[in-house]
Amino acid sequence: MSNALGQTIHAPGGALRRSAAERAANWLGDRGTLVTGVALAAIVVLFSLIGPYLYTASPYAIHGHHALEAPSAAFPLGTDQIGRDELARLIAGGYATLIVSIPAAVLTFLLGITYGLAAALSPSWFDKVLMRVLDAILALPGLVVLIFFSALFTPGTFELILLLGLTSWPGLARIVRNEAIAQRNRDFILATRQFGGGTWYIARAHILRVMAPILVVNATFLVGDSVLALSGLSFLGLGLQPPYTSWGGLLQTGLNLIALDPWWMILPAGLMIFLSIMAANLIGQGLLARFGAAR
Amino acid sequence: MLRMIANRLATAILSLAILITIVFFMTHATPGGPAFSILGQKATPQAVQQLNARLGLAAPLWQQYLLWWWHLLQGRLGYSYLLNRPVTQLVGDYMMNTLALYVGAILLSLVLSIGIGLVQGVTYGRWPARLIGALQLSLYALPTFFVGTMFILYFGVKWGVLPTGGITNLRLEQPGLLDYGRHLALPVLTIGLLGVSGLSRYFGTSVHEELGKDYVRTALAKGLTFRAVLFKHVLRNALRPLVTILGLAFPGIFAGSVLVETVFNYPGLGYLLWRSALSQDYPVISAIVLLIGALTVIGNLLADLVNGLLDPRERYE
């Protein structure tokens, strides 16, 4: 039963049954989110990492007589403007995208935690300094900083990982710092301090541990953000350089030829980026809901 | 109120000063310095030395840093290496186009977000809200450059109803307002949609939270209609955090617009940034980076001040 506002009215007697049913629905909903996310992630990862072994056509071989062909039996996703197999390029692009964005997300994660914890556990004047600097950095969109630095040199795989990692941490740093500050003065941590626990020990054994759910959720979001940033950069022609390809690069090629209506060069690459980000966000959301329910 | 303004202003100025310092060190982190990007990577050491002397890059770092401030305060941002025009002029030209895009996109996403958020908040927990939630999640995962490209493919190439890029039809002698509008439509729609996913979700949650508060029950109990409560009381209270979020969303909107402007060849700041990055035109790049940072700081400042106007409690925090 609910009123005009959609709020549940707890009628006597029925209340217990209703809330149990509701809880079951919610649990299924959260679980559904998580399961869908994991399934999507599995599809994306298998496609990119196992794909090369199942579909062995070369992403670099040029079939001059078959340039810019729509999907057919010979080329399941068509060919590009110089007759390269688009499906093979989509797989290679996926491999290149994941091999950069996942390590970059790990680096971002470590940097964000380090900065955030350092700020939270420092004396308050130093925390203020670090936070002012963070405010200023956060005023610059990550992509803009990324463009700035990738203009300096032509990045390879390793440089891209560094570049993405070094430019994406400020958001996480703020979350970690605020959360750690909230935990810092809880009774059990004050007690540990009382018993002589050092700052490093408290950070490692207690603060990081109570923050684990939040950290895990944010780590999954970071992977999605990282895929998005790398794809955007590659789309601008500042990421991985030809002949190597990535999903963003494939989209860019499609856009350059858009007057010829090559939907097969645009839709698959765009959908793969969408699916990877969706997978990361669904897993994050699902975990968030579960951790929230567990608390 | 005055005290709050002074307080926020001081914070904003401090942020700007730090930002300017960061951008200075970013530009001077160039391997070999800017001389290499002007003369090319194969420049002879003599040529680099000469150019460095001419550009004042041979001086010690602290002197260059002070000089950088001195020039900034005078509004001198140097010359574009590529186009040999004063950076301020160049950036000014492109900035007006970006502002038109921004204002359109922000208005669009505000209107859509408020509408969607109201529905989501009122139907919280039931299927309309769940459906909206799923759509928001999907929209959030859609990259702007993909959406923009698909728009061009359908509206521009397949159906031919809207132009595929640029800002005016070059074949028209006097492009009227309608022509500008037609060119703005797709970029505005793309950036506007980018904002909707986050803003509407946030707004939906705050409408739901406000609806559960005591003042709503009191208002309903004294006989006000649900509609009156929703639009007179709840809307006003739920809008307040939206202002802050809009201020914070500014960098994200800009990052999205770099890609969108590139997709549509729209001559705005993002497009200029991209062109300059491809040709390593450092004075232009650093001016844009600085400008974006400054706009964000100012955006946040304005959001704080608007909040202070809307809610007297904010003034004393």
Side-chain angles (χ1 to χ4, degrees):
Chain A
M1 216 195 309
S2 56
N3 65 4
L5 307 182
Q7 297 158 327
T8 311
I9 299 169
H10 293 284
L16 200 70
R17 199 151 47 95
R18 154 146 226 100
S19 74
E22 244 170 26
R23 221 184 296 153
N26 274 340
W27 186 77
L28 264 178
D30 299 339
R31 217 172 120 93
T33 311
L34 197 58
V35 168
T36 319
V38 171
L40 283 183
I43 292 174
V44 169
V45 170
L46 287 181
F47 177 82
S48 311
L49 300 187
I50 312 286
Y53 301 101
L54 297 180
Y55 187 79
T56 46
S58 160
Y60 306 114
I62 295 169
H63 308 279
H65 295 298
H66 298 281
L68 214 61
E69 274 182 8
S72 62
F75 302 104
L77 282 181
T79 56
D80 70 357
Q81 75 281 13
I82 54 172
R84 288 176 297 194
D85 189 320
E86 275 289 303
L87 178 57
R89 290 183 71 71
L90 196 65
I91 294 171
Y95 181 79
T97 303
L98 295 187
I99 214 76
V100 171
S101 31
I102 293 175
V106 173
L107 183 58
T108 306
F109 186 67
L110 295 178
L111 288 173
I113 290 183
T114 312
Y115 194 97
L117 275 185
L121 298 173
S122 300
S124 105
W125 67 269
F126 193 63
D127 173 45
K128 280 204 180 98
V129 172
L130 287 181
M131 283 301 110
R132 278 280 146 265
V133 173
L134 196 63
D135 277 343
I137 298 177
L138 276 168
L140 294 174
L143 186 70
V144 170
V145 182
L146 216 51
I147 292 175
F148 183 98
F149 283 115
S150 56
L152 290 178
F153 52 89
T154 319
T157 306
F158 181 67
E159 288 92 338
L160 273 175
I161 294 173
L162 277 185
L163 210 57
L164 278 172
L166 289 174
T167 51
S168 328
W169 56 268
L172 180 69
R174 153 153 302 171
I175 296 174
V176 170
R177 181 261 179 188
N178 288 346
E179 188 62 26
I181 292 262
Q183 303 292 351
R184 196 180 54 183
N185 293 325
R186 285 177 66 177
D187 288 344
F188 74 95
I189 288 182
L190 292 181
T192 314
R193 210 177 278 280
Q194 200 77 39
F195 283 121
T199 305
W200 168 237
Y201 170 78
I202 290 175
R204 182 166 48 86
H206 292 303
I207 294 192
L208 275 183
R209 194 162 293 174
V210 287
M211 282 172 52
I214 294 171
L215 294 178
V216 172
V217 168
N218 276 290
T220 48
F221 287 142
L222 282 182
V223 175
D225 293 346
S226 185
V227 169
L228 182 64
L230 176 68
S231 302
L233 202 62
S234 308
F235 181 78
L236 292 174
L238 295 164
L240 280 178
Q241 299 298 314
Y244 300 107
T245 188
S246 61
W247 290 332
L250 286 173
L251 258 180
Q252 184 209 25
T253 321
L255 178 65
N256 288 339
L257 298 166
I258 199 153
L260 304 171
D261 191 8
W263 60 268
W264 63 91
M265 296 178 66
I266 296 167
L267 202 59
L271 282 182
M272 288 313 288
I273 303 175
F274 168 69
L275 287 183
S276 335
I277 300 170
M278 193 72 184
N281 289 349
L282 283 177
I283 295 176
Q285 286 274 337
L287 288 176
L288 196 64
R290 287 201 111 179
F291 290 145
R295 210 173 265 175
Chain B
M1 186 73 191
L2 264 179
R3 200 174 144 177
M4 177 216 153
I5 294 178
N7 211 333
R8 294 289 200 277
L9 208 60
T11 318
I13 290 173
L14 185 63
S15 290
L16 272 181
I18 298 173
L19 193 72
I20 289 169
T21 308
I22 292 175
V23 175
F24 171 82
F25 284 106
M26 271 165 64
T27 34
H28 288 73
T30 327
F36 275 104
S37 43
I38 304 176
L39 299 170
Q41 293 295 337
K42 290 181 184 162
T44 58
Q46 288 89 342
V48 170
Q49 235 167 34
Q50 274 175 5
L51 192 73
N52 276 345
R54 196 156 63 86
L55 295 177
L57 294 170
L61 205 58
W62 64 268
Q63 273 182 17
Q64 290 187 46
Y65 180 66
L66 291 182
L67 199 67
W68 162 262
W69 268 101
W70 177 235
H71 284 166
L72 264 184
L73 290 177
Q74 295 174 311
R76 280 163 57 189
L77 291 165
Y79 283 78
S80 157
Y81 298 153
L82 193 68
L83 303 165
N84 212 15
R85 279 178 62 194
V87 171
T88 34
Q89 219 183 66
L90 198 65
V91 169
D93 285 356
Y94 284 79
M95 182 152 127
M96 292 328 283
N97 295 337
T98 292
L99 280 183
L101 194 60
Y102 262 42
V103 171
I106 287 177
L107 283 181
L108 179 72
S109 45
L110 267 183
V111 170
L112 286 178
S113 300
I114 291 175
I116 295 170
L118 275 178
V119 176
Q120 195 181 20
V122 171
T123 63
Y124 190 87
R126 282 179 283 146
W127 69 265
R130 286 186 180 227
L131 181 70
I132 291 174
L135 287 178
Q136 283 161 337
L137 211 60
S138 317
L139 199 59
Y140 187 76
L142 274 174
T144 43
F145 47 94
F146 176 45
V147 175
T149 309
M150 290 307 283
F151 278 165
I152 296 182
L153 189 64
Y154 279 91
F155 289 98
V157 177
K158 280 191 201 274
W159 303 333
V161 287
L162 283 170
T164 55
I167 187 167
T168 53
N169 190 338
L170 295 174
R171 268 173 262 164
L172 292 179
E173 238 167 70
Q174 271 201 320
L177 217 55
L178 184 72
D179 193 45
Y180 276 114
R182 277 165 51 81
H183 282 81
L184 266 174
L186 288 182
V188 164
L189 190 61
T190 315
I191 302 180
L193 283 181
L194 159 87
V196 166
S197 58
L199 277 183
S200 64
R201 192 180 189 86
Y202 200 89
F203 188 61
T205 313
S206 51
V207 167
H208 169 67
E209 277 170 4
E210 291 296 327
L211 279 175
K213 287 190 178 165
D214 287 345
Y215 74 85
V216 173
R217 197 190 320 182
T218 310
L220 286 174
K222 75 178 186 188
L224 282 183
T225 59
F226 179 62
R227 177 177 302 197
V229 177
L230 186 65
F231 287 103
K232 279 215 136 151
H233 300 292
V234 172
L235 190 62
R236 189 188 159 109
N237 282 322
L239 275 177
R240 214 176 54 73
L242 204 62
V243 177
T244 313
I245 291 295
L246 203 61
L248 291 176
F250 212 78
I253 296 176
F254 185 82
S257 80
V258 176
L259 290 158
V260 173
E261 286 178 5
T262 310
V263 170
F264 291 97
N265 277 324
Y266 184 88
L269 278 186
Y271 179 77
L272 183 64
L273 177 70
W274 176 60
R275 297 296 322 172
S276 316
L278 285 180
S279 50
Q280 305 197 324
D281 196 348
Y282 267 88
V284 181
I285 300 179
S286 45
I288 296 177
V289 172
L290 212 53
L291 187 65
I292 299 310
L295 284 177
T296 309
V297 172
I298 293 168
N300 288 341
L301 178 68
L302 285 180
D304 279 349
L305 296 183
V306 170
N307 267 336
L309 282 177
L310 287 178
D311 185 349
R313 283 171 298 184
E314 283 280 310
R315 293 172 208 166
Y316 299 101
E317 270 174 21

